[in-house]
Amino acid sequence: MQGGPERLDPERPGSSSSEKAIVIDLRRAAPSIYLRPHAQHAMLMCRHNYDSAASMNLFEFVVGIIR
């Protein structure tokens, strides 16, 4: 997934932001002493704005699928 050209946030390690989305790398953002069972691959992505139920779909950010 790719949210567009991203810029790192020096105030928040592991966090980067683009025009449409925020990407958080939990491997850098949260110490490893915390359990993260809900984030299997340690990467989270969300939109800046959710203005409708259809905007909850992140399909437009998919750039490749590995099978």
Side-chain angles (χ1 to χ4, degrees), residues 1-2 47 54-65:
M1 296 185 83
Q2 174 65 13
R47 288 184 189 270
S55 69
M56 305 269 299
N57 187 344
L58 299 177
F59 183 74
E60 72 178 273
F61 298 124
V62 174
V63 293
I65 297 173

Side-chain angles (χ1 to χ4, degrees), residues 33-50:
I33 59 172
Y34 297 111
L35 293 175
R36 300 181 294 255
H38 64 286
Q40 182 177 0
H41 301 293
M43 299 294 286
L44 302 174
M45 177 184 247
C46 68
R47 288 184 189 270
H48 283 292
N49 297 319
Y50 290 100

